[in-house]
Amino acid sequence: MTASQNWNMDSVFSGGSHSEALQSRIKELDTLIKETLTQISEWQPSKDHPEFNELASFLKKRETIGNGLSEAGTFARGLFSANTKDLQAAKVVNQLSTVASQMSEVETLFMKKLKDVPENEWETLVATEPFKQSAFPLQEKREKGQKLLSEKEEKIIQKLSLDGLNGFGNMYQTIVNSVNVPFEEDGKITYLSAGQAANKLTGSEDPAVRARLLKDWEIAWKEKAPLFSDTLNHLAGFRLQTYDLRDEKDFLNPPLEYNRMKEETLNTMWDTITDNKPKVVEFLNRKAALMGKDKLNWADVTAPVSVGDYEPKTYSFEEAQNFVTTHFGTFSQEMQDMAQRAFDEGWVEAEDKEGKRPGAYCSNLPESKQSRIFMTFSGSANNVSTLAHELGHAYHSHVMRDLPALNRSYAMNVAETASTFAEMLISDATVEAAASEEEKIALLDSKISRAAIMFMNIHSRFLFEKRFYEARQNGLVNEEELSTIMEEAQKEAFLDSLDTYHPTFWASKLHFYITGISFYNFPYTFGFLFSLGIYSKAKQEGQSFSDDYRNLLRDTASMTTEELAEKHLAVDLTQPDFWQSAIDEILTDIDEYLALTADRI
Ligand SMILES: [Zn+2]
């Protein structure tokens, strides 16, 4: 078996960031976008009825554009990730986003035109191929079209958003760039950027360092709080005004619709989590005891636990490949085969070298029907889990590769299903393979801590955002009020189990300032538990479940989330049972953790 640690990008476009093939492709796509804009503006549904050939031709072009932009985007972003000094790659990334931005006008028009199709003609349309297969996403677009204002009004909103909504999003970044956090080390004070301080805050192994830094961190954000408060208020204000213009009464509706789920499902999920929180608090308290403290602070929750020195098990990249493919194989032959292909055909960039951006991701190549995975592999068990996580994303794309583009665009709440599932398969196996009890505790700790973040931290973000939007509907919410709402939400979400909170979290957390979508929080918890529930079922049913699992993934963009669960898992997401089965997975881990650490405090 070859164990190349570098991906093959030449098979996508030859010539690196100066690729001529890429430039001519971008030119083609640009022309095609302009063509589709004309085509959709001139489209008259009633004249196209009953065959709808013109619509079929439009959808075909739309698909070519979408696939082409993804293919080129994966290539260009990939080159830049693997070498952040490749300025030409950065330039191409920018060029592509400019070209792609023209598609938003096409999409708006498309939705508005679908709305204009008379009801009886619409029924013929969605019952006829090639539209039949995409009836759900088409219906969804038609409903969105019904909510939109006139073409001209939507264009005005879009144009004003550039300096309104998006302007405030950019403003946030500018203020964050000016944040400095003092940090004392060996009697010397240095000033850290927000990003550097965040890394130290979650990564430092010394509880005293974290406690001191958390205090300075809070002060640093508080100093700029009036600027952040203005930014957040205007960003949310712009959004609420737009909802008002479109006659959208409930600010929670757009994110729920985007995630194709009911509010009832969301409420049941949070309620079931809340019922199980006392056990999670037991975990947090044990973790505190292991650190020699009564209670954890905000930053301790995800910090590595102190269990003394141990020699962790390390993996060569070749061992990691074998480990992942073998364990995938215990559940699904197809997953194993795809992972093997990914390694053999150079889908993965894993080399530990200078000049790479941090983090990991998987990006799709819909034209090549492949994926590219970016990460830095240094041999830890966590790296092996990350590799599995990203291969899980690749598997999701793999099982969808022959579907129309409309049926491939799944929402955020199910985007992490396949990745979390694959990661669980492997991380449970790495816990089993741990070289010592200390390592086993550390691996369990990082697994449960992640769940604690999903159950408590993300819950506090949701509670905050909901209360903030409620208050914002009645006027500006000043920085003191924001911090009060935030701290109360944190105390509630953590069952008041921490000794120090982070009241200015509303300023330090980028997610509250994302312009594309609001409530960039509950889909994380949803996705995590949805995947865990599926994993629990897979453990019970073994390989016989692998086909159901595959079919579920294929359908993730073809129905509502409730329908997806009903069809493939035979569960009702508005009821607590499924959620409880998912949470039970974590409770089992907590029991093991508590038993393993009982005589270490
Ligand atoms: Zn992921």
Side-chain angles (χ1 to χ4, degrees):
M1 186 165 115
T2 53
S4 169
Q5 299 209 26
N6 300 109
W7 57 20
N8 180 358
M9 281 296 194
D10 261 1
S11 68
V12 187
F13 292 102
S14 62
S17 52
H18 287 90
S19 168
E20 282 170 23
L22 173 66
Q23 281 307 324
S24 65
R25 184 84 185 110
I26 297 176
K27 223 170 257 153
E28 274 170 35
L29 291 168
D30 188 55
T31 311
L32 203 55
I33 294 176
K34 293 187 165 89
E35 267 175 48
T36 48
L37 183 60
T38 316
Q39 189 178 22
I40 195 69
S41 11
E42 289 170 359
W43 182 52
Q44 295 181 17
S46 292
K47 284 196 179 155
D48 204 14
H49 175 260
E51 254 101 42
F52 292 104
N53 288 329
E54 194 64 26
L55 179 65
S57 139
F58 166 78
L59 284 177
K60 219 167 173 179
K61 282 185 195 152
R62 181 183 175 275
E63 172 132 5
T64 307
I65 294 165
N67 288 351
L69 289 171
S70 297
E71 187 94 0
T74 297
F75 175 80
R77 277 194 312 275
L79 293 183
F80 187 62
S81 307
N83 175 13
T84 52
K85 291 202 178 80
D86 189 344
L87 298 180
Q88 175 62 20
K91 228 167 141 175
V92 180
V93 171
N94 202 328
Q95 182 190 4
L96 273 167
S97 76
T98 310
V99 173
S101 69
Q102 305 173 84
M103 275 310 277
S104 66
E105 197 176 344
V106 177
E107 286 299 296
T108 307
L109 258 172
F110 176 38
M111 291 189 279
K112 291 208 63 79
K113 287 283 178 125
L114 289 181
K115 178 206 74 160
D116 294 340
V117 182
E119 194 56 44
N120 59 332
E121 291 180 16
W122 180 257
E123 267 153 35
T124 332
L125 190 149
V126 290
T128 323
E129 291 300 355
F131 315 106
K132 199 174 161 188
Q133 193 180 5
S134 305
F136 173 81
L138 283 171
Q139 178 67 31
E140 212 177 25
K141 289 203 180 289
R142 179 169 150 97
E143 280 161 21
K144 259 190 202 149
Q146 278 155 352
K147 286 195 170 179
L148 294 176
L149 300 170
S150 74
E151 244 165 74
K152 198 171 171 189
E153 288 163 327
E154 285 298 332
K155 203 165 179 170
I156 292 172
I157 294 179
Q158 210 161 30
K159 290 221 178 232
L160 292 180
S161 295
L162 293 175
D163 289 297
L165 187 71
N166 299 339
F168 288 113
N170 295 339
M171 174 67 95
Y172 175 71
Q173 209 46 58
T174 307
I175 311 171
V176 169
N177 291 344
S178 75
V179 168
N180 282 308
V181 186
F183 179 67
E184 199 188 320
E185 201 169 30
D186 308 326
K188 237 178 49 202
I189 292 179
T190 48
Y191 285 87
L192 306 176
S193 72
Q196 289 171 319
N199 282 341
K200 273 217 174 1
L201 199 56
T202 51
S204 171
E205 298 202 5
D206 184 348
V209 169
R210 286 197 303 271
R212 213 173 52 228
L213 195 56
L214 180 61
K215 219 168 125 200
D216 288 334
W217 169 261
E218 178 68 32
I219 293 169
W221 293 98
K222 209 172 170 187
E223 267 170 16
K224 307 256 157 104
L227 299 175
F228 286 120
S229 156
D230 251 12
T231 308
L232 186 62
N233 270 282
H234 291 312
L235 194 149
F238 190 100
R239 186 171 268 146
L240 287 170
Q241 293 290 1
T242 317
Y243 291 164
D244 191 48
L245 288 168
R246 292 192 186 129
D247 209 22
E248 173 60 77
K249 303 267 186 277
D250 185 352
F251 55 77
L252 204 51
N253 249 343
L256 284 169
E257 268 171 20
Y258 165 76
N259 286 292
R260 297 168 171 142
M261 61 188 273
K262 291 183 190 163
E263 188 170 1
E264 205 184 341
T265 297
L266 182 61
N267 291 337
T268 306
M269 178 187 87
W270 287 131
D271 289 347
T272 316
I273 289 173
T274 301
D275 289 343
N276 285 278
K277 278 182 180 177
K279 189 87 188 177
V280 185
V281 171
E282 262 186 75
F283 160 75
L284 295 174
N285 288 341
R286 175 60 57 83
K287 186 165 177 166
L290 290 166
M291 287 176 182
K293 309 175 69 168
D294 281 344
K295 285 179 165 191
L296 295 179
N297 68 36
W298 180 262
D300 291 332
V301 179
T302 50
V305 72
S306 350
V307 278
D309 287 335
Y310 64 92
E311 202 60 54
K313 181 171 166 60
T314 58
Y315 297 77
S316 72
F317 192 55
E318 193 163 340
E319 282 165 350
Q321 292 188 4
N322 284 325
F323 194 85
V324 170
T325 46
T326 308
H327 287 284
F328 277 4
T330 61
F331 174 64
S332 149
Q333 184 65 44
E334 194 189 22
M335 262 175 92
Q336 179 176 34
D337 293 346
M338 190 223 69
Q340 192 57 53
R341 237 190 100 193
F343 297 132
D344 294 344
E345 295 177 9
W347 295 12
V348 186
E349 171 58 51
E351 196 188 346
D352 189 352
K353 65 175 177 194
E354 282 281 294
K356 281 175 82 164
R357 57 152 273 190
Y361 66 79
C362 174
S363 188
N364 197 10
L365 293 170
E367 289 180 337
S368 312
K369 300 201 187 300
Q370 295 179 8
S371 293
R372 287 295 178 271
I373 286 167
F374 177 86
M375 67 175 295
T376 298
F377 185 85
S378 46
S380 71
N382 276 333
N383 288 161
V384 183
S385 297
T386 302
L387 178 63
H389 178 104
E390 303 309 335
L391 283 165
H393 280 303
Y395 181 66
H396 198 169
S397 304
H398 180 72
V399 300
M400 287 185 134
R401 67 195 182 283
D402 59 340
L403 292 176
L406 279 165
N407 298 63
R408 277 187 269 126
S409 92
Y410 48 76
M412 183 183 168
N413 62 341
V414 291
E416 294 297 333
T417 304
S419 54
T420 312
F421 182 90
E423 188 183 339
M424 289 293 164
L425 271 178
I426 299 310
S427 62
D428 275 357
T430 59
V431 173
E432 285 301 311
S436 63
E437 193 175 287
E438 283 79 6
E439 186 182 12
K440 194 169 186 178
I441 295 169
L443 289 172
L444 270 175
D445 183 80
S446 95
K447 198 176 161 205
I448 305 166
S449 299
R450 179 168 162 217
I453 291 290
M454 296 290 174
F455 298 164
M456 329 296 250
N457 182 314
I458 307 274
H459 193 195
S460 75
R461 298 182 201 185
F462 173 74
L463 292 172
F464 165 81
E465 192 155 350
K466 195 160 176 246
R467 289 163 192 175
F468 164 60
Y469 270 94
E470 272 158 13
R472 182 66 186 87
Q473 283 174 325
N474 304 317
L476 292 172
V477 188
N478 68 36
E479 62 267 25
E480 275 169 31
E481 292 164 331
L482 287 168
S483 294
T484 306
I485 301 174
M486 188 82 247
E487 195 172 356
E488 277 171 6
Q490 291 174 347
K491 283 185 177 161
E492 186 179 328
F494 275 90
L495 298 188
D496 209 3
S497 60
L498 305 182
D499 67 5
T500 318
Y501 293 90
H502 180 10
T504 57
F505 190 55
W506 58 268
S508 72
K509 197 72 216 166
L510 159 80
H511 294 50
F512 297 122
Y513 298 81
I514 288 173
T515 53
I517 184 100
S518 60
F519 287 86
Y520 208 82
N521 37 58
F522 70 80
Y524 279 115
T525 307
F526 180 98
F528 177 72
L529 281 181
F530 189 58
S531 187
L532 220 55
I534 296 172
Y535 180 63
S536 157
K537 207 172 164 73
K539 279 211 300 203
Q540 286 161 26
E541 299 184 16
Q543 285 195 337
S544 64
F545 180 63
S546 63
D547 283 344
D548 293 332
Y549 174 62
R550 175 187 205 280
N551 294 334
L552 178 145
L553 292 180
R554 262 177 80 79
D555 272 346
T556 40
S558 298
M559 56 191 66
T560 69
T561 312
E562 287 84 7
E563 287 163 351
L564 188 69
E566 173 75 51
K567 179 174 172 192
H568 296 287
L569 306 168
V571 295
D572 181 355
L573 293 184
T574 63
Q575 297 302 313
D577 318 43
F578 172 80
W579 303 109
Q580 188 61 51
S581 75
I583 297 167
D584 283 344
E585 288 291 316
I586 299 301
L587 300 189
T588 309
D589 286 338
I590 294 180
D591 281 335
E592 191 178 1
Y593 182 87
L594 292 174
L596 282 171
T597 53
D599 50 10
R600 289 174 178 269
I601 45 171

